[in-house]
Amino acid sequence: EKIVERLSLLSVKFENKPVPLSAVHYCHMLAAYYEKRKATGSLVLNTPQDYVSRYIDYYYQLDYYYRKALEALPHNSEIPILPALLSAKEKLDMDYATITNKINVEWSRCLLEKDGFDSITLPRQYDFYSKYRDESVKQVVIICDALRYEVATELMQELGKEKHMASLEAGLALLPTETK
């Protein structure tokens, strides 16, 4: 938390200096990722529903800050600490791969041990229109195959900034799915 606070202060200090600001912004995203990573807690949960709930409430933030760090990585050779930033990116990549692999292994183990997808209490894809279609109001529905949940949360926040009401709810797609 202290590192994130310090980086926020540095970003104000360098707001008119794009080269150091890009490095500070990248470090800020790294720090935010590691702050979330440190608070992840146990990866061994009791039910598939617990994994879904934990992802919706928390794990998606790891994906979000990882993506934001990658987007913020400066590629300007004028940055004297660029080799250190690239080294930090390699460590970030390894950490992200490790944590997501552990979550996936535990999720798969839990699915095999429990009732699989039948134990997950999420709306099913095939019930979507009967549950959400409301002809009395103007609605816009975005259906996107393979849209990452963390990207959807960011999209929802952007849509909600205006006068529009935006909401996001997870659902369970028909399995197996295949994207050509």
Side-chain angles (χ1 to χ4, degrees):
E1 288 178 11
K2 289 180 182 181
I3 293 169
V4 170
E5 287 175 23
R6 178 75 176 130
L7 288 165
S8 293
L9 292 173
L10 279 174
S11 65
V12 171
K13 180 180 178 180
F14 293 122
E15 69 182 331
N16 294 323
K17 298 177 182 177
V19 173
L21 182 61
S22 66
V24 169
H25 182 62
Y26 175 65
C27 292
H28 188 248
M29 291 300 104
L30 281 177
Y33 168 83
Y34 284 113
E35 181 180 29
K36 294 298 179 187
R37 171 67 172 88
K38 184 178 179 183
T40 300
S42 176
L43 303 179
V44 179
L45 304 176
N46 295 324
T47 67
Q49 182 65 42
D50 290 342
Y51 281 96
V52 170
S53 297
R54 179 76 59 92
Y55 186 83
I56 290 168
D57 294 338
Y58 190 82
Y59 288 162
Y60 82 91
Q61 294 177 61
L62 295 171
D63 297 332
Y64 174 81
Y65 285 110
Y66 176 74
R67 179 174 55 87
K68 287 299 184 182
L70 294 182
E71 290 172 0
L73 179 65
H75 297 287
N76 188 333
S77 59
E78 294 177 31
I79 299 173
I81 62 167
L82 187 59
L85 297 179
L86 294 174
S87 175
K89 183 207 178 281
E90 289 178 19
K91 290 177 182 167
L92 173 68
D93 289 342
M94 288 300 299
D95 187 80
Y96 182 74
T98 299
I99 188 72
T100 54
N101 183 59
K102 286 179 182 176
I103 292 170
N104 285 334
V105 166
E106 290 302 325
W107 155 256
S108 297
R109 175 203 52 79
C110 190
L111 274 174
L112 289 174
E113 289 177 3
K114 306 297 180 186
D115 294 331
F117 291 101
D118 292 335
S119 65
I120 299 173
T121 59
L122 286 177
R124 301 304 200 240
Q125 179 183 11
Y126 48 81
D127 294 331
F128 180 82
Y129 285 105
S130 63
K131 182 175 180 184
Y132 294 102
R133 188 171 181 198
D134 183 355
E135 293 184 15
S136 67
V137 295
K138 189 181 244 183
Q139 290 179 305
V140 174
V141 176
I142 299 172
I143 299 174
C144 182
D145 190 22
L147 180 65
R148 291 169 52 120
Y149 188 82
E150 52 95 13
V151 174
T153 61
E154 189 174 17
L155 175 61
M156 182 202 60
Q157 290 169 356
E158 287 298 315
L159 292 172
K161 283 182 181 178
E162 300 294 323
K163 61 181 178 178
H164 311 291
M165 297 293 297
S167 63
L168 174 66
E169 187 175 320
L172 190 59
L174 297 173
L175 297 172
T177 62
E178 181 178 334
T179 303
K180 301 275 185 203

